[in-house]
Amino acid sequence: MGMKKEGLKLFENGKRIDGRAYDELRPIKMEVGVLKRADGSCYLEWGGNKVLAAVYGPRECLPRHTQDPLKARINYRYNMAPFSTDERVRPGPSRRSIEISKLSKEALEHVIFTEYFPKTSIDIFVEILQADAGTRCAGLTAASLALADAGIPMKSLITACAAGKIDGKVVLDLGKLEDNFGEADLPIAYMPRTKELVYLQMDGDLTKDEFKEALRLALKGCDEIYRIQRDALKKAYEGEVNGR
Ligand code: ADP
């Protein structure tokens, strides 16, 4: 969100700067099982975002004093590669990445059956290889598939997507310019099976009605992404299920 260049139009004649309609997602593809040494993994491309998620565990939680005797401990690390944006990102945690990691971990604590695996940790690494707005949603969506690939029991997959406001119009899935020069961004994640929200943030301002419309659009986006997630899992496991 920020000051726009004079004359830059983000929404004109019913179309956005990249030609999308107001309710259209950027192209998304995902593949699971891409890393041999992780227990579960997923590679995801979403518009210009490229994201790799790796899951390890449940494994013995170390150091031992960090163990929870009643449930698994979830660790989530969102990290931007130094080469992922125009300006080199300083390596190591930033305020922003710590915040995203914390909220993403809390979202996953709602869906993973952590009580099945006391004293263990489930470690989730999300590496943003290329960032183009919407990386927290792309990361969570990929992490959820990597967890499924690792065979970790969950109440549901989770699916994340944002809606926002550009030139006064509420639209789905902001691209980079829209994120930089738009008026608001509302990333959410939810459990498609139970329709429970597990993540919600808001940057910028929306009226009550705009908020409702943004939430409606983001949920619609999530439903489309959920289909792509399920297809990716089917593609990876159909052969196994059929004994091939
Ligand atoms: P999200 O990626 O979830 O939309 P933000 O709204 O904070 O998160 O960031 C929007 C976009 O701005 C990112 O996807 C990335 O392209 C860019 N960006 C974020 N942080 C940095 C940074 N430290 N350096 C350069 N670009 C960044």
Side-chain angles (χ1 to χ4, degrees):
M1 313 300 105
M3 284 295 287
K4 207 160 66 166
K5 268 179 255 151
E6 197 66 43
L8 175 66
K9 289 263 190 296
L10 293 173
F11 193 79
E12 205 173 20
N13 305 323
K15 285 255 185 294
R16 296 155 70 173
I17 212 152
D18 57 6
R20 280 187 291 155
Y22 78 100
D23 60 350
E24 208 179 322
L25 287 168
R26 291 172 286 177
I28 301 180
K29 55 182 184 184
M30 27 188 130
E31 188 182 342
V32 297
V34 292
L35 298 174
K36 222 171 165 176
R37 291 190 191 92
D39 294 315
S41 57
C42 172
Y43 174 68
L44 175 146
E45 288 184 4
W46 180 336
N49 294 312
K50 297 188 177 180
V51 175
L52 198 52
V55 168
Y56 297 84
R59 59 186 179 185
E60 186 183 10
C61 185
L62 293 171
R64 284 180 109 179
H65 71 85
T66 60
Q67 290 181 355
D68 185 327
L70 299 178
K71 56 183 196 307
R73 188 191 154 103
I74 312 281
N75 295 311
Y76 189 105
R77 191 187 75 170
Y78 165 102
N79 183 53
M80 275 183 141
F83 48 79
S84 63
T85 62
D86 291 337
E87 266 174 64
R88 180 175 177 276
V89 182
R90 239 180 102 202
S94 61
R95 278 177 66 121
R96 176 178 170 277
S97 71
I98 292 167
E99 171 191 304
I100 293 174
S101 300
K102 177 179 183 289
L103 293 178
S104 303
K105 162 200 150 106
E106 287 170 2
L108 288 170
E109 279 171 344
H110 285 290
V111 297
I112 298 172
F113 286 103
T114 51
E115 64 276 17
Y116 289 4
F117 308 103
K119 297 186 185 174
T120 67
S121 70
I122 296 171
D123 303 310
I124 304 153
F125 298 88
V126 168
E127 296 292 322
I128 309 298
L129 307 175
Q130 191 171 290
D132 206 34
T135 57
R136 71 195 68 207
C137 293
L140 255 178
T141 301
S144 171
L145 272 196
L147 283 160
D149 183 42
I152 291 177
M154 294 182 283
K155 287 183 205 148
S156 158
L157 285 178
I158 65 173
T159 302
C161 182
K165 186 165 89 161
I166 51 167
D167 289 350
K169 173 86 180 159
V170 176
V171 300
L172 182 61
D173 185 26
L174 300 188
K176 184 79 169 74
L177 278 173
E178 295 174 331
D179 184 289
N180 286 167
F181 303 118
E183 290 117 55
D185 191 19
L186 180 81
I188 64 156
Y190 96 139
M191 297 156 66
R193 280 178 17 150
T194 57
K195 309 226 179 288
E196 281 169 82
L197 279 177
V198 290
Y199 189 113
L200 189 148
Q201 284 188 287
M202 190 165 103
D203 188 13
D205 289 320
L206 292 172
T207 65
K208 211 166 155 184
D209 284 343
E210 285 168 346
F211 177 85
K212 280 190 192 157
E213 170 67 358
L215 192 58
R216 184 190 71 80
L217 277 181
L219 290 171
K220 174 184 158 308
C222 283
D223 286 335
E224 286 177 41
I225 295 161
Y226 183 45
R227 228 168 295 140
I228 306 172
Q229 283 177 303
R230 279 183 305 176
D231 286 347
L233 286 174
K234 268 193 216 149
K235 194 168 161 233
Y237 290 106
E238 225 160 27
E240 285 194 21
V241 172
N242 296 333
R244 270 179 274 138

